[in-house]
């Protein structure tokens, strides 16, 4: 672990000093040097993730695909989403637009006496071990992800945005980041608050997010794989998560919501909260109202169309609620 951290640190320094720092000085942005150094770590994490996608998960998809890809344009849009998120473009935007705000908020709270809670110091000698603390953080963040994800399906205005993700009919390893950008901002706000409250170090936070994202990429893969009766209850598999995306079960929230398999890594949360389905297969994905017999609703074919239609659904919902009030 120490050797790996050392290598990552060397890569961060080398990339920053030889490429990013000179560009910032040339553009007159020396005031953001510190934030840019932190952002470099996100870039490295993203490059490593894309390498895993291309070199590991990609060949697995070609080995045992669930279905033939017939809409490559939709997959290319998902690749664009992935590059925006994994190469740090979205994260850099948050660094300059939102992170300073949170830093000032939490800085003020600490000055006013908010205690700093370090989850990895809960049991000295045990929880402060690097691997043990990583496992604990993954459990905590996976629970947060489960609750947030379930809210996305049960709260109507959140579904208006999250529907962008579920509208993909050709699910692949690139589909995880197919989200409305406003949805991503709200999600990141929740994750940042939790990380601050439990005392996650910046480098640990990057590692946790990278692991969560890689697992999600694998679970979204066009891959006919499951982990057996026991394994399916320990780790989220492509079959387990494909059931969540199944068009036969997905409905727009109307008070009675059909949904299952919300967990990102550990199905234990679905088991505990009674939302697990282990009897699913590898059926078609999407949203029920996309089907011709249900009206063939348009969720957009391009990145911009998907973002715009997400805003329109949100605004339409707001107007409807205003008229009802």
């Amino acid at each position: 672990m120490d050797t790996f951290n050392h290598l990552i640190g060397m890569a961060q320094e080398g990339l920053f000093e030889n490429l990013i720092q000179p560009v910032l000085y040339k553009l007159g942005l020396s005031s953001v040097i510190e934030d840019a150094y932190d952002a470099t770590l996100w870039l490295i994490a993203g490059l490593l993730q894309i390498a895993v996608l291309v070199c590991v998960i990609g060949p697995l998809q070609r080995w045992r695909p669930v279905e033939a890809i017939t809409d490559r344009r939709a997959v290319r849009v998902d690749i664009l989403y992935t590059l925006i998120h994994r190469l740090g473009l979205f994260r850099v935007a948050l660094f300059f637009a939102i992170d300073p705000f949170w830093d000032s908020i939490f800085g003020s709270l600490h000055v006013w006496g908010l205690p700093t809670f370090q989850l990895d110091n809960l049991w000295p000698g045990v929880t402060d071990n690097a691997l043990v603390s990583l496992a604990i953080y993954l459990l905590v963040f996976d629970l947060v992800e489960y609750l947030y994800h379930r809210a996305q399906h049960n709260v109507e205005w959140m579904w208006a945005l999250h529907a962008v993700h579920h509208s993909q009919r050709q699910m692949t390893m690139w589909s995880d980041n197919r989200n409305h950008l406003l949805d991503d901002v709200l999600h990141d706000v929740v994750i940042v608050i939790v990380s601050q409250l439990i005392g996650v170090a910046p480098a640990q936070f990057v590692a946790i997010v990278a692991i969560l994202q890689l697992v999600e990429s694998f679970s979204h893969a066009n891959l006919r794989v499951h982990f057996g009766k026991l394994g399916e209850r320990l780790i989220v598999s492509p079959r387990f998560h494909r059931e969540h995306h199944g068009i036969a079960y997905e409905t727009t929230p109307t008070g009675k919501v059909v949904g299952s398999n919300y967990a990102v890594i550990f199905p234990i949360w679905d088991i505990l909260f009674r939302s697990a389905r282990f009897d699913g297969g590898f059926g078609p994905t999407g949203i029920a109202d996309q089907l011709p017999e249900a009206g063939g609703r348009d969720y957009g074919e391009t990145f911009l169309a998907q973002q715009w239609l997400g805003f329109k659904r949100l605004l339409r919902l707001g107007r409807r609620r205003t008229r009802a009030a």
Side-chain angles (χ1 to χ4, degrees), residues 108-119:
S108 299
L109 290 175
H110 290 318
V111 169
W112 295 339
L114 178 72
T116 301
F117 176 68
Q118 300 292 331
L119 186 60

PDB file of all heavy atoms in Angstrom, residues 108-119:
ATOM      1  N   SER A 108     -15.464  27.584   8.943  1.00  0.00           N
ATOM      2  CA  SER A 108     -16.184  28.390   9.936  1.00  0.00           C
ATOM      3  C   SER A 108     -16.774  27.521  11.039  1.00  0.00           C
ATOM      4  O   SER A 108     -16.717  27.875  12.223  1.00  0.00           O
ATOM      5  CB  SER A 108     -17.305  29.185   9.254  1.00  0.00           C
ATOM      6  OG  SER A 108     -16.784  30.064   8.283  1.00  0.00           O
ATOM      7  N   LEU A 109     -17.337  26.368  10.665  1.00  0.00           N
ATOM      8  CA  LEU A 109     -17.921  25.465  11.662  1.00  0.00           C
ATOM      9  C   LEU A 109     -16.866  24.944  12.636  1.00  0.00           C
ATOM     10  O   LEU A 109     -17.121  24.823  13.837  1.00  0.00           O
ATOM     11  CB  LEU A 109     -18.617  24.291  10.964  1.00  0.00           C
ATOM     12  CG  LEU A 109     -19.904  24.626  10.193  1.00  0.00           C
ATOM     13  CD1 LEU A 109     -20.418  23.402   9.459  1.00  0.00           C
ATOM     14  CD2 LEU A 109     -20.974  25.165  11.142  1.00  0.00           C
ATOM     15  N   HIS A 110     -15.662  24.657  12.116  1.00  0.00           N
ATOM     16  CA  HIS A 110     -14.585  24.193  13.000  1.00  0.00           C
ATOM     17  C   HIS A 110     -14.155  25.308  13.949  1.00  0.00           C
ATOM     18  O   HIS A 110     -13.869  25.067  15.122  1.00  0.00           O
ATOM     19  CB  HIS A 110     -13.398  23.697  12.173  1.00  0.00           C
ATOM     20  CG  HIS A 110     -13.673  22.414  11.435  1.00  0.00           C
ATOM     21  ND1 HIS A 110     -14.346  21.362  12.007  1.00  0.00           N
ATOM     22  CD2 HIS A 110     -13.353  22.022  10.169  1.00  0.00           C
ATOM     23  CE1 HIS A 110     -14.436  20.369  11.133  1.00  0.00           C
ATOM     24  NE2 HIS A 110     -13.849  20.750  10.003  1.00  0.00           N
ATOM     25  N   VAL A 111     -14.117  26.539  13.428  1.00  0.00           N
ATOM     26  CA  VAL A 111     -13.759  27.683  14.272  1.00  0.00           C
ATOM     27  C   VAL A 111     -14.793  27.875  15.372  1.00  0.00           C
ATOM     28  O   VAL A 111     -14.466  28.212  16.519  1.00  0.00           O
ATOM     29  CB  VAL A 111     -13.632  28.965  13.409  1.00  0.00           C
ATOM     30  CG1 VAL A 111     -13.526  30.205  14.308  1.00  0.00           C
ATOM     31  CG2 VAL A 111     -12.413  28.871  12.499  1.00  0.00           C
ATOM     32  N   TRP A 112     -16.052  27.610  15.046  1.00  0.00           N
ATOM     33  CA  TRP A 112     -17.131  27.776  16.025  1.00  0.00           C
ATOM     34  C   TRP A 112     -17.241  26.600  16.999  1.00  0.00           C
ATOM     35  O   TRP A 112     -18.110  26.591  17.866  1.00  0.00           O
ATOM     36  CB  TRP A 112     -18.467  27.951  15.304  1.00  0.00           C
ATOM     37  CG  TRP A 112     -18.542  29.209  14.495  1.00  0.00           C
ATOM     38  CD1 TRP A 112     -17.783  30.333  14.645  1.00  0.00           C
ATOM     39  CD2 TRP A 112     -19.424  29.469  13.393  1.00  0.00           C
ATOM     40  NE1 TRP A 112     -18.121  31.281  13.706  1.00  0.00           N
ATOM     41  CE2 TRP A 112     -19.138  30.774  12.916  1.00  0.00           C
ATOM     42  CE3 TRP A 112     -20.415  28.742  12.747  1.00  0.00           C
ATOM     43  CZ2 TRP A 112     -19.801  31.362  11.848  1.00  0.00           C
ATOM     44  CZ3 TRP A 112     -21.092  29.315  11.679  1.00  0.00           C
ATOM     45  CH2 TRP A 112     -20.786  30.613  11.237  1.00  0.00           C
ATOM     46  N   GLY A 113     -16.379  25.605  16.827  1.00  0.00           N
ATOM     47  CA  GLY A 113     -16.341  24.510  17.791  1.00  0.00           C
ATOM     48  C   GLY A 113     -16.880  23.186  17.313  1.00  0.00           C
ATOM     49  O   GLY A 113     -17.045  22.252  18.115  1.00  0.00           O
ATOM     50  N   LEU A 114     -17.186  23.053  16.002  1.00  0.00           N
ATOM     51  CA  LEU A 114     -17.647  21.762  15.505  1.00  0.00           C
ATOM     52  C   LEU A 114     -16.525  20.743  15.668  1.00  0.00           C
ATOM     53  O   LEU A 114     -15.429  20.928  15.141  1.00  0.00           O
ATOM     54  CB  LEU A 114     -18.033  21.859  14.019  1.00  0.00           C
ATOM     55  CG  LEU A 114     -18.493  20.543  13.368  1.00  0.00           C
ATOM     56  CD1 LEU A 114     -19.881  20.162  13.877  1.00  0.00           C
ATOM     57  CD2 LEU A 114     -18.493  20.661  11.850  1.00  0.00           C
ATOM     58  N   PRO A 115     -16.754  19.672  16.415  1.00  0.00           N
ATOM     59  CA  PRO A 115     -15.689  18.685  16.632  1.00  0.00           C
ATOM     60  C   PRO A 115     -15.346  17.945  15.355  1.00  0.00           C
ATOM     61  O   PRO A 115     -16.207  17.704  14.501  1.00  0.00           O
ATOM     62  CB  PRO A 115     -16.297  17.735  17.674  1.00  0.00           C
ATOM     63  CG  PRO A 115     -17.772  17.870  17.488  1.00  0.00           C
ATOM     64  CD  PRO A 115     -18.002  19.300  17.082  1.00  0.00           C
ATOM     65  N   THR A 116     -14.078  17.603  15.211  1.00  0.00           N
ATOM     66  CA  THR A 116     -13.625  16.839  14.058  1.00  0.00           C
ATOM     67  C   THR A 116     -13.669  15.357  14.405  1.00  0.00           C
ATOM     68  O   THR A 116     -12.988  14.906  15.333  1.00  0.00           O
ATOM     69  CB  THR A 116     -12.186  17.233  13.666  1.00  0.00           C
ATOM     70  OG1 THR A 116     -12.161  18.623  13.356  1.00  0.00           O
ATOM     71  CG2 THR A 116     -11.719  16.447  12.467  1.00  0.00           C
ATOM     72  N   PHE A 117     -14.504  14.612  13.685  1.00  0.00           N
ATOM     73  CA  PHE A 117     -14.657  13.187  13.950  1.00  0.00           C
ATOM     74  C   PHE A 117     -13.854  12.402  12.926  1.00  0.00           C
ATOM     75  O   PHE A 117     -14.044  12.572  11.727  1.00  0.00           O
ATOM     76  CB  PHE A 117     -16.127  12.795  13.883  1.00  0.00           C
ATOM     77  CG  PHE A 117     -16.357  11.316  14.057  1.00  0.00           C
ATOM     78  CD1 PHE A 117     -16.112  10.704  15.272  1.00  0.00           C
ATOM     79  CD2 PHE A 117     -16.816  10.550  12.991  1.00  0.00           C
ATOM     80  CE1 PHE A 117     -16.328   9.342  15.435  1.00  0.00           C
ATOM     81  CE2 PHE A 117     -17.034   9.190  13.148  1.00  0.00           C
ATOM     82  CZ  PHE A 117     -16.788   8.591  14.378  1.00  0.00           C
ATOM     83  N   GLN A 118     -12.940  11.569  13.395  1.00  0.00           N
ATOM     84  CA  GLN A 118     -12.137  10.735  12.516  1.00  0.00           C
ATOM     85  C   GLN A 118     -12.611   9.296  12.656  1.00  0.00           C
ATOM     86  O   GLN A 118     -12.317   8.630  13.639  1.00  0.00           O
ATOM     87  CB  GLN A 118     -10.648  10.857  12.881  1.00  0.00           C
ATOM     88  CG  GLN A 118     -10.081  12.255  12.763  1.00  0.00           C
ATOM     89  CD  GLN A 118     -10.008  12.742  11.333  1.00  0.00           C
ATOM     90  OE1 GLN A 118      -9.857  11.952  10.412  1.00  0.00           O
ATOM     91  NE2 GLN A 118     -10.126  14.050  11.143  1.00  0.00           N
ATOM     92  N   LEU A 119     -13.330   8.812  11.671  1.00  0.00           N
ATOM     93  CA  LEU A 119     -13.881   7.466  11.738  1.00  0.00           C
ATOM     94  C   LEU A 119     -12.798   6.406  11.846  1.00  0.00           C
ATOM     95  O   LEU A 119     -12.974   5.392  12.530  1.00  0.00           O
ATOM     96  CB  LEU A 119     -14.755   7.201  10.505  1.00  0.00           C
ATOM     97  CG  LEU A 119     -15.547   5.886  10.474  1.00  0.00           C
ATOM     98  CD1 LEU A 119     -16.500   5.810  11.659  1.00  0.00           C
ATOM     99  CD2 LEU A 119     -16.309   5.757   9.162  1.00  0.00           C
TER     100      LEU A 119
END
